[in-house]
Amino acid sequence: MRLSHPITDGGSLIAVAALGEMSWFLLAIDARLEELDRANFPSVEAAEHAARGYLRRNHPVSKPWTPSEGKSADVS
């Protein structure tokens, strides 16, 4: 059985780091990480850092809309 480690972000499983012949490689679960799928890393920590960093840079979470933002300032 291959040694593996789940990678989560915000409570969601986004990838798995699996130990290959000589290094760890990333198996993307989240489609936003497709470019990192099967990439090699020297450690589990490096794979986690790369996956989370990639999401932060390329798919930032926008601020949720609130009802007060949709209202006009002048309601005359």
Side-chain angles (χ1 to χ4, degrees), residues 5-8 14-19 23-27 33 36 39-55:
H5 179 79
I7 300 174
T8 60
I14 58 170
V16 173
L19 185 59
S23 64
W24 290 87
F25 63 96
L26 187 133
L27 296 169
L33 292 174
L36 294 180
N40 290 309
F41 297 94
S43 66
V44 170
E45 293 79 13
E48 285 179 317
H49 182 72
R52 291 184 186 129
Y54 184 88
L55 286 181

